[in-house]
């Protein structure tokens, strides 16, 4: 079992819809959670971080964390074609806080 | 303020050749990282440096060495390149602290092909 799992996609949504991206992790001591966006041929860019259970909103993005169920999700409201990218989930553990474990990413396609 | 810079952007090597990938950051970050990214594999940590003067192995360190030259610079060396090292290499940096370490800033990447 991979430490961080994501559906590779592609997840295809129409413009204006809500895109829901999911991530599960296996290690219960995981403490911090991050979503990175990576456009094709470019480097990853941090878009959200979440550290406690519940929701965290930033503009059109909402990160949701449920530590009991070991999943973290990213909602993108009013999806735009410019949101088309690969979204990488990453987690860090309390005992190795300098290291991130990345999932393999979910490719999102927003159709005009 | 350039952020994280990497050189070269592209490189083609023959099996057995050596090379050094350079990385520099101007954000005064203490921690720096080297990742490789292969199709369908996500980002995998090769080596990291939590602070100047320290380096530690990540998930896939075999075949690589690193040097934390100073606070700004962190280089990755391939002593004897192999086709399995064909990949895109990213350098990243972050501030220290339990939470901040995960907020990493990435360089543009080096696309390496080993023939």
């Amino acid at each position: 079992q991979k430490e961080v799992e994501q559906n590779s996609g592609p997840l295809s949504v129409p413009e204006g819809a809500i895109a829901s991206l999911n991530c599960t992790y296996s290690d219960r001591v995981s403490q911090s959670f991050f979503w990175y966006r990576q456009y094709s041929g470019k480097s990853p860019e941090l878009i959200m971080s979440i550290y406690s259970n519940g929701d965290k909103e930033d503009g059109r993005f909402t990160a949701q964390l449920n530590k009991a169920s070991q999943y973290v999700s990213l909602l993108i409201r009013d999806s735009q074609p410019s949101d088309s990218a690969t979204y990488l989930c990453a987690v860090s553990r309390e005992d190795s806080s300098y290291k991130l474990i990345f999932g393999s990413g979910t490719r999102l396609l927003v159709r005009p | 303020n350039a952020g994280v810079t990497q050189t070269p952007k592209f490189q083609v090597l023959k099996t057995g050749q050596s090379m050094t990938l350079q990385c520099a950051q101007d954000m005064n970050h203490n921690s720096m990282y080297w990742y490789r990214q292969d199709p369908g594999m996500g980002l995998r940590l090769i080596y990291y440096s939590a602070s100047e003067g320290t380096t530690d192995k990540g998930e896939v360190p075999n075949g690589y060495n690193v040097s934390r030259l100073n606070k700004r610079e962190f280089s990755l060396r391939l002593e004897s390149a192999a086709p399995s090292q064909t990949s895109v290499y990213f350098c990243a940096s972050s501030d220290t602290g339990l939470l901040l370490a995960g907020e990493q800033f990435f360089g543009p990447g080096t696309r390496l092909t080993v023939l």
Side-chain angles (χ1 to χ4, degrees), chain A residues 2-3 25-31 33 70 91 93 95:
Chain A
K2 290 183 181 179
E3 286 195 61
Y25 59 94
S26 60
D27 195 338
R28 284 196 171 274
V29 300
S30 296
Q31 185 168 24
F33 307 86
Q70 295 178 239
V91 306
R93 300 199 306 242
D95 62 344

Side-chain angles (χ1 to χ4, degrees), chain B residues 18-104:
Chain B
S18 62
M19 77 162 296
T20 300
L21 282 64
Q22 306 286 355
C23 174
Q25 52 91 10
D26 62 3
M27 296 175 282
N28 200 37
H29 285 164
N30 285 314
S31 301
M32 298 186 73
Y33 314 83
W34 277 105
Y35 294 91
R36 62 178 289 173
Q37 187 173 38
D38 303 294
M41 299 289 288
L43 286 159
R44 292 184 292 170
L45 184 65
I46 305 171
Y47 271 93
Y48 69 104
S49 172
S51 61
E52 186 179 356
T54 68
T55 60
D56 285 285
K57 295 179 180 179
E59 183 184 355
V60 288
N62 291 343
Y64 305 94
N65 284 300
V66 291
S67 296
R68 183 74 182 266
L69 303 170
N70 48 55
K71 189 172 185 178
R72 290 187 64 248
E73 299 173 288
F74 189 36
S75 64
L76 178 71
R77 183 161 179 83
L78 286 70
E79 291 291 352
S80 179
S84 61
Q85 294 178 304
T86 293
S87 188
V88 180
Y89 291 85
F90 289 103
C91 177
S93 71
S94 69
D95 210 335
T96 46
L98 184 63
L99 302 181
L100 294 175
E103 299 183 0
Q104 297 182 10

Side-chain angles (χ1 to χ4, degrees), chain A residues 36 38 41 43 49 51 97-98, chain B residues 33 37 98 102-104 107 111:
Chain A
Y36 285 79
Q38 186 175 25
S43 56
S49 56
Y51 306 104
S97 58
Y98 297 109
Chain B
Y33 314 83
Q37 187 173 38
L98 184 63
E103 299 183 0
Q104 297 182 10
R111 283 148 183 78

